[in-house]
Every structure is written in structure tokens, then in C-alpha cells.
């Protein structure tokens, strides 16, 4: 489906988050990564490279914001999603 809650919209928001992170606009990047990740999860996108890439970016931004506990939690969750 198309629209603000679609997988495509979540992917677009993830791209925006990456651009914001590269521009050092970390607070907005963190917010957009979180929304994009949650949107993909609501759509049932799990164990997917799209979700993994967003989670990696999100963890990196959280660490840059000195939110180490949250970054660690995301990385732990990411490791559980990746194939062994």
C-alpha cells in the first residue's frame, strides 16, 4: 500500500534520517530512525536488510548522542535479527 504508513514511506524516512545524521543533525536523525523502524515493524518487516540497515544507523546516532544504553539495546536486538 502507499501512504504515510507504507513500507516505502518508512524507507524514505530512513533515507532522510541518514542524510540528517551525515549533516550532524543527530536529534532529528534519531527521531526519524525510530519512527521508520517502528513503521517497518508494524508492517511486519522483520529479519530484513532494510530494518537492519536502519537499526545500524540508529544505534550509531544514539551513540553519538551519548545515549549508550539505548545504542547497546538496539545493537543487541540487531544481532538477534541477523542470521548466524
Amino acid at each position: 500500500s502507499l501512504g504515510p504508513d507504507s513500507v516505502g514511506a518508512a524507507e524514505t524516512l530512513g533515507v532522510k534520517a541518514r542524510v540528517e545524521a551525515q549533516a550532524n543533525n543527530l536529534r532529528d536523525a534519531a527521531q526519524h530512525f525510530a519512527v521508520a523502524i517502528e513503521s517497518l515493524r508494524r508492517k511486519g518487516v522483520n529479519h530484513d536488510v532494510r530494518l537492519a540497515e536502519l537499526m545500524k544507523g540508529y544505534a550509531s546516532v544514539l551513540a553519538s548522542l551519548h545515549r549508550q544504553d539505548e545504542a547497546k539495546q538496539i545493537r543487541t536486538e540487531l544481532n538477534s535479527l541477523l542470521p548466524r
Side-chain angles (χ1 to χ4, degrees), residues 50-82:
R50 295 171 292 184
L51 181 61
E53 288 300 317
L54 289 176
M55 291 175 75
K56 280 193 246 181
Y58 187 35
S60 177
V61 166
L62 289 172
S64 295
L65 288 169
H66 307 289
R67 293 166 58 182
Q68 301 301 334
D69 290 344
E70 292 169 272
K72 183 178 178 183
Q73 180 182 355
I74 294 295
R75 287 186 181 114
T76 298
E77 186 178 347
L78 175 60
N79 288 336
S80 73
L81 294 177
L82 298 175

